[in-house]
Amino acid sequence: MGKAVSVIVPTYNEKDNVARLVERIHTSLSDYDYEVVFIDDNSKDGTADLIQALSGKYPVKVVVRKDKRGLASAVADGISYVSGEFVIVMDADLQHPPEVLPDIFKALKNHEFVMASRYIKGGSPGQWTLSRRIVSLVANLLALPLAFKVKDRVSGFFGFRRASVDAKALNPLGWKIGLEILVRGRFGLVSEVPYTFARRSQGTSKLSKRIIWQYIRQLVKLYSYKFQILDFMIVGGIGYIINIALYSLLTLLPALKTFEFNQLGKPYYLPPFIVSSLVAIISNYLMNRAWTFRGWKERKGGFGRYLLMGLATLLLDMGFLFVLVEYCNFSPVPAAALAIFIVFLVRFIIARSWIWKRTPNK
Ligand code: GDD
Ligand code: MN
């Protein structure tokens, strides 16, 4: 039987903190069926032995990694060693007060991800040097579009429902594993509970320039993951220009005008739209394949599917075009512009779910 809640604590040289940490966690979670799993990267100060000694008295265990180092990867690996329905991640150095654990656990009853937050009412970053404060604020701001519902996006103190996270899909670079899990997990409701970042009393912080650089690389990956729609939109934008340019050319061409097809009492404007859209669909397919969905698997008959989607949504497009011109007094070119935009989202959803498929580890 799994525990109700598992606490994952990454450690690197924290021997002077772990005993007090375990005691305080035990006091906070004594009403619950919990476990603490330490992921230690072969600390040189005997942290692991100390935890081992504590395991006789408390529900704690330690996993020692000899071949890897890194806070985020320690947490990501830790997920496969725990059994709880809910998982809470915290630091070992008591900067994350264990007394907040029950608040997180309670919030997890009706939320799938809970961030312990320094930037909501009741929370605080505590006594930090000005430079550290600025680094944290900038880091937090840079992640705003990735998780705008959360105020503290760079907190290392958070909880989640284990079943909502696929640990293999995580890219554990650097430190911000909370953000990584929040962006890549499948979470419905997300919330925050306040905490005050305590002073580190023993040992030293392991934050370095290299970690900051890794954060930038992580952000690039997360943005491209979360906002694939931006890539799709840029491709769509290029196709859109192709479409409108061709459409204007075809409708304005004097030779075509003299044909004077009289469709529903108006001059010829629908057939050129089919031609321009078809050209745009094909160029969009090629660009999406090479860029937006690179690394994804194309389903069988991908081009046929894309064409079919393009044509089906073109009908929808034409329906809008028709309504806008006939009933809303639009002239054809702006009407086409608006119509194409309206079906953009529909196409994106179909492309991601019916034409390309995410491959694991991507
Ligand atoms: N296993 C393992 N491997 N643990 C590590 C490693 C590592 O390479 N590096 C650090 N840790 C552990 C530490 O032992 C500690 O328990 C925790 O990760 C946080 O490390 P600190 O060195 O205390 O980090 P900090 O206090 O500067 O940063 C904290 O606050 C930031 C928010 O401003 C961390 O919680 C960050 O994740 C957080 O973003
Ligand atoms: Mn710390």
Side-chain angles (χ1 to χ4, degrees), residues 14 91 93 95 132 197 200 205:
E14 301 286 1
D91 292 350
D93 58 359
Q95 293 198 277
R132 182 68 200 261
F197 199 69
R200 191 188 241 279
S205 166

mmCIF file of all heavy atoms in Angstrom, residues 14 91 93 95 132 197 200 205, ligand 2:
data_model
loop_
_atom_site.group_PDB
_atom_site.id
_atom_site.type_symbol
_atom_site.label_atom_id
_atom_site.label_comp_id
_atom_site.label_asym_id
_atom_site.label_seq_id
_atom_site.Cartn_x
_atom_site.Cartn_y
_atom_site.Cartn_z
ATOM 1 N N GLU A 14 24.479 18.151 3.805
ATOM 2 C CA GLU A 14 23.527 18.792 4.720
ATOM 3 C C GLU A 14 23.506 18.101 6.073
ATOM 4 O O GLU A 14 22.470 18.017 6.727
ATOM 5 C CB GLU A 14 22.114 18.772 4.117
ATOM 6 C CG GLU A 14 21.959 19.469 2.782
ATOM 7 C CD GLU A 14 21.979 20.996 2.884
ATOM 8 O OE1 GLU A 14 22.126 21.544 4.007
ATOM 9 O OE2 GLU A 14 21.852 21.638 1.817
ATOM 10 N N ASP A 91 13.538 21.566 0.409
ATOM 11 C CA ASP A 91 14.979 21.573 0.658
ATOM 12 C C ASP A 91 15.288 21.003 2.038
ATOM 13 O O ASP A 91 14.432 20.975 2.922
ATOM 14 C CB ASP A 91 15.530 23.002 0.590
ATOM 15 C CG ASP A 91 15.470 23.573 -0.818
ATOM 16 O OD1 ASP A 91 15.188 22.805 -1.758
ATOM 17 O OD2 ASP A 91 15.692 24.797 -0.956
ATOM 18 N N ASP A 93 17.669 22.242 4.068
ATOM 19 C CA ASP A 93 18.384 23.175 4.941
ATOM 20 C C ASP A 93 17.475 24.013 5.840
ATOM 21 O O ASP A 93 17.911 25.026 6.383
ATOM 22 C CB ASP A 93 19.282 24.083 4.099
ATOM 23 C CG ASP A 93 18.492 24.861 3.068
ATOM 24 O OD1 ASP A 93 17.257 24.671 3.000
ATOM 25 O OD2 ASP A 93 19.094 25.656 2.335
ATOM 26 N N GLN A 95 15.220 26.010 5.129
ATOM 27 C CA GLN A 95 14.736 27.272 4.579
ATOM 28 C C GLN A 95 13.266 27.124 4.173
ATOM 29 O O GLN A 95 12.546 28.106 4.042
ATOM 30 C CB GLN A 95 15.593 27.698 3.373
ATOM 31 C CG GLN A 95 17.017 28.042 3.798
ATOM 32 C CD GLN A 95 17.747 28.860 2.755
ATOM 33 O OE1 GLN A 95 18.297 28.328 1.807
ATOM 34 N NE2 GLN A 95 17.752 30.169 2.938
ATOM 35 N N ARG A 132 20.557 38.664 -4.273
ATOM 36 C CA ARG A 132 19.836 37.403 -4.353
ATOM 37 C C ARG A 132 18.351 37.663 -4.612
ATOM 38 O O ARG A 132 17.679 36.949 -5.347
ATOM 39 C CB ARG A 132 20.031 36.621 -3.052
ATOM 40 C CG ARG A 132 19.372 35.252 -3.005
ATOM 41 C CD ARG A 132 20.019 34.267 -3.964
ATOM 42 N NE ARG A 132 19.121 33.167 -4.254
ATOM 43 C CZ ARG A 132 19.174 31.972 -3.673
ATOM 44 N NH1 ARG A 132 20.100 31.718 -2.800
ATOM 45 N NH2 ARG A 132 18.310 31.038 -3.995
ATOM 46 N N PHE A 197 10.508 32.227 3.531
ATOM 47 C CA PHE A 197 11.795 31.583 3.273
ATOM 48 C C PHE A 197 12.708 31.876 4.462
ATOM 49 O O PHE A 197 13.031 33.030 4.738
ATOM 50 C CB PHE A 197 12.366 32.176 1.980
ATOM 51 C CG PHE A 197 13.441 31.347 1.331
ATOM 52 C CD1 PHE A 197 13.139 30.114 0.745
ATOM 53 C CD2 PHE A 197 14.744 31.805 1.254
ATOM 54 C CE1 PHE A 197 14.117 29.357 0.112
ATOM 55 C CE2 PHE A 197 15.736 31.055 0.622
ATOM 56 C CZ PHE A 197 15.422 29.837 0.053
ATOM 57 N N ARG A 200 19.228 30.274 6.105
ATOM 58 C CA ARG A 200 19.975 29.026 6.195
ATOM 59 C C ARG A 200 20.846 29.137 7.435
ATOM 60 O O ARG A 200 21.658 30.060 7.556
ATOM 61 C CB ARG A 200 20.833 28.870 4.944
ATOM 62 C CG ARG A 200 21.449 27.499 4.797
ATOM 63 C CD ARG A 200 22.424 27.508 3.634
ATOM 64 N NE ARG A 200 22.044 26.556 2.584
ATOM 65 C CZ ARG A 200 22.315 25.263 2.646
ATOM 66 N NH1 ARG A 200 22.892 24.750 3.701
ATOM 67 N NH2 ARG A 200 21.977 24.466 1.652
ATOM 68 N N SER A 205 24.730 27.704 0.632
ATOM 69 C CA SER A 205 23.924 27.566 -0.578
ATOM 70 C C SER A 205 24.798 27.065 -1.722
ATOM 71 O O SER A 205 25.972 27.402 -1.811
ATOM 72 C CB SER A 205 23.312 28.913 -0.948
ATOM 73 O OG SER A 205 22.812 28.852 -2.273
HETATM 74 MN MN MN B 2 18.856 26.775 0.766
#
